[in-house]
Amino acid sequence: LVRPILDGLTYPTDNFYFVWGVMLLFSLWAARMLMRGEPMRFKTPILLLGGYLLIALVTAADSVEYDATYRSLILWSSYFCLFVIASNGLRTRTAIGIVLGAFIMVGLAEALWSLLHFKFVLPHVRDMVLKDPHLMELRFGTRVPTPQIIHRLNTNRAFGTLLFPNALAAFLILALPFCVTELTL
């Protein structure tokens, strides 16, 4: 729920600290693993995600939008490093349960907030912006509504704390199997 400032996961150019922080953490973890000689855990899921990243790297040269492709590759590299750290850092069932439980709680809170967002917040924000044009200048930096602002205000699709409705849907769909798995354990 507490996403990086200025939508760093969506727009990494606004704040690279997410990517650099993950890479620094991965470097420290990898150095510790090499010094201690500990074996890597969960090799199959790591290899699957690494294979996806490798295919993305190989096919990146055929991309139509080079800028977006390479920014996405930077993000996916950091996601891969974060996955390796998390999958190897959680050593007990209790730790895994805490992380999965927290993820489920975030999913439930996101679902609740998206319902409130759809039912109450979106209509209220639309009314406020229409009644007070100074508010548009304060929040969006312009008095003239751009097509993107108009689209965002008139979209009747909740996006919760995420930037886009599709991101919310993907997150909630991802959270469903975790909820079912946690409840069956």
Side-chain angles (χ1 to χ4, degrees):
L1 285 176
V2 183
R3 71 172 186 239
I5 300 168
L6 293 176
D7 301 310
L9 296 176
T10 306
Y11 296 118
T13 54
D14 286 348
N15 58 2
F16 283 103
Y17 74 83
F18 172 76
V19 174
W20 283 109
V22 169
M23 293 304 182
L24 177 66
L25 187 62
F26 181 78
S27 299
L28 293 172
W29 170 83
R32 192 191 84 187
M33 290 289 284
L34 289 173
M35 297 291 232
R36 291 184 180 176
E38 295 178 13
M40 187 175 288
R41 302 173 69 215
F42 301 107
K43 292 177 184 169
T44 303
I46 290 171
L47 284 174
L48 288 172
L49 186 56
Y52 169 78
L53 186 59
L54 182 66
I55 290 169
L57 284 168
V58 169
T59 59
D62 296 326
S63 175
V64 175
E65 294 184 25
Y66 291 112
D67 187 45
T69 300
Y70 291 115
R71 277 187 283 127
S72 294
L73 285 174
I74 291 169
L75 277 177
W76 272 100
S77 297
S78 66
Y79 299 154
F80 174 76
C81 291
L82 191 59
F83 179 73
V84 171
I85 293 168
S87 61
N88 282 279
L90 303 174
R91 303 252 177 207
T92 64
R93 286 184 74 78
T94 305
I96 293 169
I98 289 170
V99 170
L100 288 179
F103 181 70
I104 290 168
M105 294 306 295
V106 168
L108 291 173
E110 192 70 51
L112 178 64
W113 171 242
S114 65
L115 290 172
L116 293 171
H117 187 234
F118 177 74
K119 280 294 212 187
F120 301 108
V121 174
L122 284 175
H124 182 67
V125 168
R126 265 193 296 272
D127 289 342
M128 284 176 45
V129 169
L130 290 175
K131 290 177 184 174
D132 186 7
H134 177 68
L135 188 61
M136 185 176 296
E137 183 178 15
L138 180 69
R139 294 294 178 196
F140 297 109
T142 180
R143 282 191 170 269
V144 179
T146 64
Q148 181 184 8
I149 294 170
I150 292 170
H151 175 71
R152 267 198 85 161
L153 290 174
N154 290 325
T155 298
N156 274 333
R157 293 173 63 199
F159 48 89
T161 64
L162 303 172
L163 192 59
F164 302 108
N166 290 350
L168 173 66
F171 181 77
L172 293 178
I173 288 170
L174 179 66
L176 283 175
F178 285 103
C179 285
V180 170
T181 303
E182 187 75 18
L183 293 174
T184 58
L185 291 178

